[in-house]
């Protein structure tokens, strides 16, 4: 029969060994995990420009279509640029910007730096892709929205979420909801930023929002729809100075 001292020492050694194994495993796997996160982010940026690619082809497709990454401040000034696989201006790679942190800075009236991705299509069409971040029912929601060269007309969107309700709020990540945004406009005829409203009850039934500026909300997902609406409006507001530059 083992003594209490033996059992204590054995248990302590096993705890240390297991902790070391877990730490080693995490260290070994981290580069692969970071790469997966990078590839998924690239896929979502491309998807907002209606380019769908498999994971293995993602980096090559991203480098083909995303010709410039810009970091713009809340005055619309480009403070950093990454192109041709190298840093062309500044010391921030726009792809690496933490949008959640930067939006919080803007909220606190501090200087913020925001990512913009410039897409060039096979037919020479130019799109500007803007990252989005907001709050849903159970956690954060996020996305990307591409605008045509007029910086007004939506070419495509992607939305994601951490834990919205399946069949309800989670529908923001499905094509039927996202496809509604194509062709919508974020500025009205007077050049005033209106965003694209997510309308409860349907855009056809709205008496205040024109169809060109709105989409139907997710049925049964009121809080998530409101969160998506606020995310779009708030993020466009932060990007407004850049959107108005020629």
């Amino acid at each position: 029969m083992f003594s209490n001292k033996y059992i204590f020492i054995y248990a302590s050694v096993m705890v240390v060994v297991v902790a070391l194994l877990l730490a080693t495993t995490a260290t070994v796997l981290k580069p692969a995990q970071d790469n997966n996160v990078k590839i998924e982010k690239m896929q979502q940026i491309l998807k907002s420009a209606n380019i769908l690619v498999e994971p293995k082809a993602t980096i090559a497709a991203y480098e083909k279509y995303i010709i410039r990454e810009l970091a713009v401040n809340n005055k619309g000034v480009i403070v950093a640029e990454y192109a041709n696989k190298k840093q062309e201006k500044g010391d921030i790679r726009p792809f690496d910007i933490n949008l959640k942190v930067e939006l919080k800075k803007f909220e606190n009236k501090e200087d913020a730096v925001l990512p913009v991705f410039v897409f060039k299509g096979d037919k020479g069409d130019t799109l500007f892709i803007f990252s989005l971040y907001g709050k849903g029912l159970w956690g954060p929601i996020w996305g990307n929205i591409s605008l045509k060269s007029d910086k007004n007309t939506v070419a495509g969107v992607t939305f994601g979420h951490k834990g919205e309700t399946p069949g309800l709020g989670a529908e923001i990540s499905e094509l039927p909801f996202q496809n509604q945004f194509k062709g919508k406009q974020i500025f009205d005829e007077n050049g005033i930023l209106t965003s694209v409203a997510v309308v409860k009850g349907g855009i056809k039934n709205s008496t205040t929002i024109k169809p060109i500026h709105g989409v139907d909300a997710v049925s049964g997902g009121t809080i998530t729809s409101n969160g998506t609406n606020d995310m779009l409006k708030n993020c466009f507001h932060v990007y407004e100075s850049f959107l108005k530059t020629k």
Side-chain angles (χ1 to χ4, degrees), residues 164-196:
E164 301 307 287
T165 308
L168 298 175
E171 295 299 306
I172 64 168
S173 62
E174 301 297 328
L175 287 178
F177 177 72
Q178 296 176 11
N179 284 340
Q180 296 182 88
F181 285 82
K182 293 180 181 180
K184 302 297 181 178
Q185 295 184 346
I186 64 171
F187 287 97
D188 68 12
E189 61 273 16
N190 298 314
I192 297 173
L193 182 62
T194 62
S195 183
V196 178

PDB file of all heavy atoms in Angstrom, residues 164-196:
ATOM      1  N   GLU A 164     -25.227  33.131 -32.376  1.00  0.00           N
ATOM      2  CA  GLU A 164     -26.630  33.494 -32.568  1.00  0.00           C
ATOM      3  C   GLU A 164     -27.485  32.239 -32.720  1.00  0.00           C
ATOM      4  O   GLU A 164     -26.995  31.168 -33.082  1.00  0.00           O
ATOM      5  CB  GLU A 164     -26.784  34.418 -33.781  1.00  0.00           C
ATOM      6  CG  GLU A 164     -25.975  35.695 -33.659  1.00  0.00           C
ATOM      7  CD  GLU A 164     -26.241  36.462 -32.381  1.00  0.00           C
ATOM      8  OE1 GLU A 164     -27.309  37.069 -32.255  1.00  0.00           O
ATOM      9  OE2 GLU A 164     -25.377  36.438 -31.482  1.00  0.00           O
ATOM     10  N   THR A 165     -28.771  32.360 -32.461  1.00  0.00           N
ATOM     11  CA  THR A 165     -29.674  31.215 -32.426  1.00  0.00           C
ATOM     12  C   THR A 165     -29.860  30.590 -33.811  1.00  0.00           C
ATOM     13  O   THR A 165     -30.264  31.276 -34.758  1.00  0.00           O
ATOM     14  CB  THR A 165     -31.054  31.644 -31.887  1.00  0.00           C
ATOM     15  OG1 THR A 165     -30.868  32.325 -30.647  1.00  0.00           O
ATOM     16  CG2 THR A 165     -31.944  30.424 -31.670  1.00  0.00           C
ATOM     17  N   PRO A 166     -29.558  29.285 -33.967  1.00  0.00           N
ATOM     18  CA  PRO A 166     -29.768  28.610 -35.258  1.00  0.00           C
ATOM     19  C   PRO A 166     -31.200  28.753 -35.744  1.00  0.00           C
ATOM     20  O   PRO A 166     -32.155  28.620 -34.964  1.00  0.00           O
ATOM     21  CB  PRO A 166     -29.440  27.144 -34.941  1.00  0.00           C
ATOM     22  CG  PRO A 166     -28.512  27.211 -33.769  1.00  0.00           C
ATOM     23  CD  PRO A 166     -28.996  28.384 -32.946  1.00  0.00           C
ATOM     24  N   GLY A 167     -31.363  29.046 -37.023  1.00  0.00           N
ATOM     25  CA  GLY A 167     -32.707  29.194 -37.595  1.00  0.00           C
ATOM     26  C   GLY A 167     -33.307  30.562 -37.383  1.00  0.00           C
ATOM     27  O   GLY A 167     -34.313  30.907 -37.999  1.00  0.00           O
ATOM     28  N   LEU A 168     -32.685  31.366 -36.505  1.00  0.00           N
ATOM     29  CA  LEU A 168     -33.181  32.717 -36.253  1.00  0.00           C
ATOM     30  C   LEU A 168     -32.054  33.711 -36.553  1.00  0.00           C
ATOM     31  O   LEU A 168     -31.746  33.971 -37.697  1.00  0.00           O
ATOM     32  CB  LEU A 168     -33.686  32.837 -34.807  1.00  0.00           C
ATOM     33  CG  LEU A 168     -34.864  31.910 -34.451  1.00  0.00           C
ATOM     34  CD1 LEU A 168     -35.199  32.007 -32.969  1.00  0.00           C
ATOM     35  CD2 LEU A 168     -36.090  32.262 -35.291  1.00  0.00           C
ATOM     36  N   GLY A 169     -31.425  34.263 -35.506  1.00  0.00           N
ATOM     37  CA  GLY A 169     -30.366  35.245 -35.718  1.00  0.00           C
ATOM     38  C   GLY A 169     -29.202  34.733 -36.530  1.00  0.00           C
ATOM     39  O   GLY A 169     -28.541  35.495 -37.232  1.00  0.00           O
ATOM     40  N   ALA A 170     -28.942  33.420 -36.438  1.00  0.00           N
ATOM     41  CA  ALA A 170     -27.820  32.846 -37.184  1.00  0.00           C
ATOM     42  C   ALA A 170     -28.005  32.963 -38.692  1.00  0.00           C
ATOM     43  O   ALA A 170     -27.055  32.766 -39.457  1.00  0.00           O
ATOM     44  CB  ALA A 170     -27.631  31.385 -36.791  1.00  0.00           C
ATOM     45  N   GLU A 171     -29.218  33.288 -39.138  1.00  0.00           N
ATOM     46  CA  GLU A 171     -29.489  33.418 -40.569  1.00  0.00           C
ATOM     47  C   GLU A 171     -28.721  34.560 -41.225  1.00  0.00           C
ATOM     48  O   GLU A 171     -28.633  34.628 -42.453  1.00  0.00           O
ATOM     49  CB  GLU A 171     -30.991  33.625 -40.797  1.00  0.00           C
ATOM     50  CG  GLU A 171     -31.851  32.427 -40.397  1.00  0.00           C
ATOM     51  CD  GLU A 171     -31.510  31.170 -41.179  1.00  0.00           C
ATOM     52  OE1 GLU A 171     -31.516  31.237 -42.411  1.00  0.00           O
ATOM     53  OE2 GLU A 171     -31.203  30.146 -40.547  1.00  0.00           O
ATOM     54  N   ILE A 172     -28.126  35.455 -40.415  1.00  0.00           N
ATOM     55  CA  ILE A 172     -27.350  36.540 -41.018  1.00  0.00           C
ATOM     56  C   ILE A 172     -26.130  35.993 -41.759  1.00  0.00           C
ATOM     57  O   ILE A 172     -25.578  36.666 -42.636  1.00  0.00           O
ATOM     58  CB  ILE A 172     -26.888  37.587 -39.976  1.00  0.00           C
ATOM     59  CG1 ILE A 172     -25.926  36.958 -38.957  1.00  0.00           C
ATOM     60  CG2 ILE A 172     -28.071  38.261 -39.317  1.00  0.00           C
ATOM     61  CD1 ILE A 172     -25.226  37.982 -38.088  1.00  0.00           C
ATOM     62  N   SER A 173     -25.705  34.778 -41.414  1.00  0.00           N
ATOM     63  CA  SER A 173     -24.536  34.194 -42.079  1.00  0.00           C
ATOM     64  C   SER A 173     -24.908  33.361 -43.294  1.00  0.00           C
ATOM     65  O   SER A 173     -24.045  32.739 -43.919  1.00  0.00           O
ATOM     66  CB  SER A 173     -23.750  33.320 -41.086  1.00  0.00           C
ATOM     67  OG  SER A 173     -24.546  32.240 -40.638  1.00  0.00           O
ATOM     68  N   GLU A 174     -26.198  33.361 -43.664  1.00  0.00           N
ATOM     69  CA  GLU A 174     -26.680  32.568 -44.795  1.00  0.00           C
ATOM     70  C   GLU A 174     -26.895  33.456 -46.027  1.00  0.00           C
ATOM     71  O   GLU A 174     -27.189  34.646 -45.927  1.00  0.00           O
ATOM     72  CB  GLU A 174     -27.979  31.856 -44.430  1.00  0.00           C
ATOM     73  CG  GLU A 174     -27.862  30.918 -43.227  1.00  0.00           C
ATOM     74  CD  GLU A 174     -26.892  29.778 -43.475  1.00  0.00           C
ATOM     75  OE1 GLU A 174     -26.778  29.336 -44.640  1.00  0.00           O
ATOM     76  OE2 GLU A 174     -26.249  29.321 -42.511  1.00  0.00           O
ATOM     77  N   LEU A 175     -26.773  32.839 -47.217  1.00  0.00           N
ATOM     78  CA  LEU A 175     -26.864  33.590 -48.472  1.00  0.00           C
ATOM     79  C   LEU A 175     -28.198  34.312 -48.694  1.00  0.00           C
ATOM     80  O   LEU A 175     -28.201  35.430 -49.218  1.00  0.00           O
ATOM     81  CB  LEU A 175     -26.562  32.669 -49.654  1.00  0.00           C
ATOM     82  CG  LEU A 175     -25.099  32.271 -49.832  1.00  0.00           C
ATOM     83  CD1 LEU A 175     -24.953  31.311 -51.013  1.00  0.00           C
ATOM     84  CD2 LEU A 175     -24.209  33.493 -50.044  1.00  0.00           C
ATOM     85  N   PRO A 176     -29.353  33.713 -48.355  1.00  0.00           N
ATOM     86  CA  PRO A 176     -30.606  34.426 -48.607  1.00  0.00           C
ATOM     87  C   PRO A 176     -30.658  35.814 -47.962  1.00  0.00           C
ATOM     88  O   PRO A 176     -31.197  36.756 -48.555  1.00  0.00           O
ATOM     89  CB  PRO A 176     -31.656  33.490 -48.001  1.00  0.00           C
ATOM     90  CG  PRO A 176     -31.054  32.138 -48.151  1.00  0.00           C
ATOM     91  CD  PRO A 176     -29.589  32.332 -47.882  1.00  0.00           C
ATOM     92  N   PHE A 177     -30.086  35.941 -46.768  1.00  0.00           N
ATOM     93  CA  PHE A 177     -30.050  37.255 -46.114  1.00  0.00           C
ATOM     94  C   PHE A 177     -28.988  38.139 -46.756  1.00  0.00           C
ATOM     95  O   PHE A 177     -29.236  39.301 -47.091  1.00  0.00           O
ATOM     96  CB  PHE A 177     -29.764  37.095 -44.620  1.00  0.00           C
ATOM     97  CG  PHE A 177     -29.635  38.398 -43.888  1.00  0.00           C
ATOM     98  CD1 PHE A 177     -30.760  39.179 -43.642  1.00  0.00           C
ATOM     99  CD2 PHE A 177     -28.395  38.865 -43.456  1.00  0.00           C
ATOM    100  CE1 PHE A 177     -30.642  40.412 -42.978  1.00  0.00           C
ATOM    101  CE2 PHE A 177     -28.276  40.067 -42.795  1.00  0.00           C
ATOM    102  CZ  PHE A 177     -29.398  40.851 -42.548  1.00  0.00           C
ATOM    103  N   GLN A 178     -27.807  37.599 -46.974  1.00  0.00           N
ATOM    104  CA  GLN A 178     -26.699  38.394 -47.483  1.00  0.00           C
ATOM    105  C   GLN A 178     -26.914  38.869 -48.918  1.00  0.00           C
ATOM    106  O   GLN A 178     -26.518  39.987 -49.279  1.00  0.00           O
ATOM    107  CB  GLN A 178     -25.404  37.583 -47.379  1.00  0.00           C
ATOM    108  CG  GLN A 178     -25.010  37.251 -45.952  1.00  0.00           C
ATOM    109  CD  GLN A 178     -23.782  36.361 -45.862  1.00  0.00           C
ATOM    110  OE1 GLN A 178     -23.095  36.134 -46.852  1.00  0.00           O
ATOM    111  NE2 GLN A 178     -23.501  35.856 -44.667  1.00  0.00           N
ATOM    112  N   ASN A 179     -27.551  38.049 -49.736  1.00  0.00           N
ATOM    113  CA  ASN A 179     -27.759  38.416 -51.143  1.00  0.00           C
ATOM    114  C   ASN A 179     -28.659  39.629 -51.313  1.00  0.00           C
ATOM    115  O   ASN A 179     -28.635  40.280 -52.368  1.00  0.00           O
ATOM    116  CB  ASN A 179     -28.332  37.229 -51.922  1.00  0.00           C
ATOM    117  CG  ASN A 179     -27.272  36.175 -52.227  1.00  0.00           C
ATOM    118  OD1 ASN A 179     -26.079  36.440 -52.199  1.00  0.00           O
ATOM    119  ND2 ASN A 179     -27.718  34.955 -52.517  1.00  0.00           N
ATOM    120  N   GLN A 180     -29.461  39.931 -50.295  1.00  0.00           N
ATOM    121  CA  GLN A 180     -30.344  41.103 -50.378  1.00  0.00           C
ATOM    122  C   GLN A 180     -29.562  42.409 -50.510  1.00  0.00           C
ATOM    123  O   GLN A 180     -30.069  43.401 -51.039  1.00  0.00           O
ATOM    124  CB  GLN A 180     -31.198  41.227 -49.119  1.00  0.00           C
ATOM    125  CG  GLN A 180     -32.180  40.121 -48.859  1.00  0.00           C
ATOM    126  CD  GLN A 180     -32.980  40.439 -47.602  1.00  0.00           C
ATOM    127  OE1 GLN A 180     -34.011  41.113 -47.672  1.00  0.00           O
ATOM    128  NE2 GLN A 180     -32.508  39.989 -46.458  1.00  0.00           N
ATOM    129  N   PHE A 181     -28.325  42.406 -50.030  1.00  0.00           N
ATOM    130  CA  PHE A 181     -27.562  43.649 -49.966  1.00  0.00           C
ATOM    131  C   PHE A 181     -27.013  44.081 -51.322  1.00  0.00           C
ATOM    132  O   PHE A 181     -26.703  45.263 -51.510  1.00  0.00           O
ATOM    133  CB  PHE A 181     -26.400  43.486 -48.977  1.00  0.00           C
ATOM    134  CG  PHE A 181     -26.830  43.525 -47.535  1.00  0.00           C
ATOM    135  CD1 PHE A 181     -27.347  42.392 -46.925  1.00  0.00           C
ATOM    136  CD2 PHE A 181     -26.724  44.683 -46.783  1.00  0.00           C
ATOM    137  CE1 PHE A 181     -27.745  42.416 -45.604  1.00  0.00           C
ATOM    138  CE2 PHE A 181     -27.118  44.729 -45.459  1.00  0.00           C
ATOM    139  CZ  PHE A 181     -27.635  43.588 -44.866  1.00  0.00           C
ATOM    140  N   LYS A 182     -26.880  43.153 -52.248  1.00  0.00           N
ATOM    141  CA  LYS A 182     -26.278  43.489 -53.539  1.00  0.00           C
ATOM    142  C   LYS A 182     -27.104  44.549 -54.264  1.00  0.00           C
ATOM    143  O   LYS A 182     -28.321  44.413 -54.422  1.00  0.00           O
ATOM    144  CB  LYS A 182     -26.147  42.235 -54.400  1.00  0.00           C
ATOM    145  CG  LYS A 182     -25.154  41.223 -53.845  1.00  0.00           C
ATOM    146  CD  LYS A 182     -25.059  39.986 -54.729  1.00  0.00           C
ATOM    147  CE  LYS A 182     -24.085  38.978 -54.154  1.00  0.00           C
ATOM    148  NZ  LYS A 182     -23.966  37.757 -54.988  1.00  0.00           N
ATOM    149  N   GLY A 183     -26.437  45.609 -54.686  1.00  0.00           N
ATOM    150  CA  GLY A 183     -27.113  46.678 -55.418  1.00  0.00           C
ATOM    151  C   GLY A 183     -27.679  47.772 -54.537  1.00  0.00           C
ATOM    152  O   GLY A 183     -28.104  48.818 -55.046  1.00  0.00           O
ATOM    153  N   LYS A 184     -27.686  47.572 -53.222  1.00  0.00           N
ATOM    154  CA  LYS A 184     -28.163  48.624 -52.326  1.00  0.00           C
ATOM    155  C   LYS A 184     -27.139  49.751 -52.271  1.00  0.00           C
ATOM    156  O   LYS A 184     -25.965  49.571 -52.610  1.00  0.00           O
ATOM    157  CB  LYS A 184     -28.405  48.067 -50.919  1.00  0.00           C
ATOM    158  CG  LYS A 184     -29.397  46.910 -50.869  1.00  0.00           C
ATOM    159  CD  LYS A 184     -30.784  47.319 -51.325  1.00  0.00           C
ATOM    160  CE  LYS A 184     -31.762  46.139 -51.251  1.00  0.00           C
ATOM    161  NZ  LYS A 184     -33.123  46.516 -51.645  1.00  0.00           N
ATOM    162  N   GLN A 185     -27.580  50.933 -51.827  1.00  0.00           N
ATOM    163  CA  GLN A 185     -26.687  52.084 -51.753  1.00  0.00           C
ATOM    164  C   GLN A 185     -26.658  52.657 -50.340  1.00  0.00           C
ATOM    165  O   GLN A 185     -27.666  52.624 -49.627  1.00  0.00           O
ATOM    166  CB  GLN A 185     -27.117  53.156 -52.750  1.00  0.00           C
ATOM    167  CG  GLN A 185     -26.976  52.700 -54.201  1.00  0.00           C
ATOM    168  CD  GLN A 185     -27.319  53.790 -55.197  1.00  0.00           C
ATOM    169  OE1 GLN A 185     -27.906  54.805 -54.861  1.00  0.00           O
ATOM    170  NE2 GLN A 185     -26.919  53.572 -56.452  1.00  0.00           N
ATOM    171  N   ILE A 186     -25.484  53.173 -49.952  1.00  0.00           N
ATOM    172  CA  ILE A 186     -25.321  53.660 -48.583  1.00  0.00           C
ATOM    173  C   ILE A 186     -25.459  55.178 -48.470  1.00  0.00           C
ATOM    174  O   ILE A 186     -25.576  55.704 -47.361  1.00  0.00           O
ATOM    175  CB  ILE A 186     -23.971  53.215 -47.998  1.00  0.00           C
ATOM    176  CG1 ILE A 186     -22.805  53.844 -48.767  1.00  0.00           C
ATOM    177  CG2 ILE A 186     -23.860  51.686 -48.011  1.00  0.00           C
ATOM    178  CD1 ILE A 186     -21.438  53.613 -48.103  1.00  0.00           C
ATOM    179  N   PHE A 187     -25.444  55.890 -49.617  1.00  0.00           N
ATOM    180  CA  PHE A 187     -25.664  57.336 -49.619  1.00  0.00           C
ATOM    181  C   PHE A 187     -26.977  57.642 -50.336  1.00  0.00           C
ATOM    182  O   PHE A 187     -27.330  56.964 -51.316  1.00  0.00           O
ATOM    183  CB  PHE A 187     -24.529  58.064 -50.343  1.00  0.00           C
ATOM    184  CG  PHE A 187     -23.233  58.110 -49.577  1.00  0.00           C
ATOM    185  CD1 PHE A 187     -22.238  57.175 -49.845  1.00  0.00           C
ATOM    186  CD2 PHE A 187     -23.005  59.074 -48.602  1.00  0.00           C
ATOM    187  CE1 PHE A 187     -21.026  57.209 -49.146  1.00  0.00           C
ATOM    188  CE2 PHE A 187     -21.812  59.109 -47.900  1.00  0.00           C
ATOM    189  CZ  PHE A 187     -20.821  58.175 -48.168  1.00  0.00           C
ATOM    190  N   ASP A 188     -27.689  58.660 -49.861  1.00  0.00           N
ATOM    191  CA  ASP A 188     -28.922  59.037 -50.556  1.00  0.00           C
ATOM    192  C   ASP A 188     -28.606  59.993 -51.700  1.00  0.00           C
ATOM    193  O   ASP A 188     -27.436  60.307 -51.971  1.00  0.00           O
ATOM    194  CB  ASP A 188     -29.953  59.628 -49.576  1.00  0.00           C
ATOM    195  CG  ASP A 188     -29.530  60.983 -49.009  1.00  0.00           C
ATOM    196  OD1 ASP A 188     -28.570  61.601 -49.517  1.00  0.00           O
ATOM    197  OD2 ASP A 188     -30.169  61.427 -48.031  1.00  0.00           O
ATOM    198  N   GLU A 189     -29.628  60.471 -52.377  1.00  0.00           N
ATOM    199  CA  GLU A 189     -29.435  61.312 -53.560  1.00  0.00           C
ATOM    200  C   GLU A 189     -28.794  62.656 -53.228  1.00  0.00           C
ATOM    201  O   GLU A 189     -28.292  63.363 -54.109  1.00  0.00           O
ATOM    202  CB  GLU A 189     -30.779  61.548 -54.274  1.00  0.00           C
ATOM    203  CG  GLU A 189     -31.831  62.250 -53.449  1.00  0.00           C
ATOM    204  CD  GLU A 189     -32.657  61.292 -52.604  1.00  0.00           C
ATOM    205  OE1 GLU A 189     -32.233  60.130 -52.429  1.00  0.00           O
ATOM    206  OE2 GLU A 189     -33.735  61.708 -52.106  1.00  0.00           O
ATOM    207  N   ASN A 190     -28.791  63.029 -51.937  1.00  0.00           N
ATOM    208  CA  ASN A 190     -28.171  64.288 -51.511  1.00  0.00           C
ATOM    209  C   ASN A 190     -26.760  64.082 -50.963  1.00  0.00           C
ATOM    210  O   ASN A 190     -26.149  65.018 -50.438  1.00  0.00           O
ATOM    211  CB  ASN A 190     -29.041  64.966 -50.452  1.00  0.00           C
ATOM    212  CG  ASN A 190     -30.410  65.339 -50.985  1.00  0.00           C
ATOM    213  OD1 ASN A 190     -30.522  65.901 -52.073  1.00  0.00           O
ATOM    214  ND2 ASN A 190     -31.452  65.019 -50.238  1.00  0.00           N
ATOM    215  N   GLY A 191     -26.258  62.849 -51.080  1.00  0.00           N
ATOM    216  CA  GLY A 191     -24.913  62.568 -50.599  1.00  0.00           C
ATOM    217  C   GLY A 191     -24.808  62.367 -49.106  1.00  0.00           C
ATOM    218  O   GLY A 191     -23.718  62.395 -48.533  1.00  0.00           O
ATOM    219  N   ILE A 192     -25.950  62.146 -48.462  1.00  0.00           N
ATOM    220  CA  ILE A 192     -25.963  61.919 -47.009  1.00  0.00           C
ATOM    221  C   ILE A 192     -25.845  60.423 -46.735  1.00  0.00           C
ATOM    222  O   ILE A 192     -26.558  59.608 -47.335  1.00  0.00           O
ATOM    223  CB  ILE A 192     -27.257  62.477 -46.381  1.00  0.00           C
ATOM    224  CG1 ILE A 192     -27.310  63.992 -46.575  1.00  0.00           C
ATOM    225  CG2 ILE A 192     -27.334  62.126 -44.889  1.00  0.00           C
ATOM    226  CD1 ILE A 192     -28.618  64.626 -46.143  1.00  0.00           C
ATOM    227  N   LEU A 193     -24.950  60.052 -45.819  1.00  0.00           N
ATOM    228  CA  LEU A 193     -24.742  58.653 -45.481  1.00  0.00           C
ATOM    229  C   LEU A 193     -25.962  58.099 -44.754  1.00  0.00           C
ATOM    230  O   LEU A 193     -26.337  58.578 -43.700  1.00  0.00           O
ATOM    231  CB  LEU A 193     -23.497  58.503 -44.610  1.00  0.00           C
ATOM    232  CG  LEU A 193     -23.116  57.081 -44.199  1.00  0.00           C
ATOM    233  CD1 LEU A 193     -22.785  56.224 -45.409  1.00  0.00           C
ATOM    234  CD2 LEU A 193     -21.932  57.105 -43.231  1.00  0.00           C
ATOM    235  N   THR A 194     -26.578  57.087 -45.334  1.00  0.00           N
ATOM    236  CA  THR A 194     -27.765  56.493 -44.725  1.00  0.00           C
ATOM    237  C   THR A 194     -27.532  55.048 -44.287  1.00  0.00           C
ATOM    238  O   THR A 194     -28.339  54.487 -43.570  1.00  0.00           O
ATOM    239  CB  THR A 194     -28.942  56.498 -45.720  1.00  0.00           C
ATOM    240  OG1 THR A 194     -28.585  55.708 -46.863  1.00  0.00           O
ATOM    241  CG2 THR A 194     -29.273  57.903 -46.164  1.00  0.00           C
ATOM    242  N   SER A 195     -26.441  54.432 -44.743  1.00  0.00           N
ATOM    243  CA  SER A 195     -26.151  53.014 -44.499  1.00  0.00           C
ATOM    244  C   SER A 195     -27.164  52.155 -45.243  1.00  0.00           C
ATOM    245  O   SER A 195     -27.879  52.636 -46.134  1.00  0.00           O
ATOM    246  CB  SER A 195     -26.160  52.701 -42.996  1.00  0.00           C
ATOM    247  OG  SER A 195     -25.823  51.350 -42.756  1.00  0.00           O
ATOM    248  N   VAL A 196     -27.231  50.873 -44.907  1.00  0.00           N
ATOM    249  CA  VAL A 196     -28.266  49.974 -45.418  1.00  0.00           C
ATOM    250  C   VAL A 196     -29.026  49.466 -44.200  1.00  0.00           C
ATOM    251  O   VAL A 196     -28.455  48.772 -43.352  1.00  0.00           O
ATOM    252  CB  VAL A 196     -27.668  48.793 -46.205  1.00  0.00           C
ATOM    253  CG1 VAL A 196     -28.789  47.859 -46.684  1.00  0.00           C
ATOM    254  CG2 VAL A 196     -26.857  49.282 -47.397  1.00  0.00           C
TER     255      VAL A 196
END
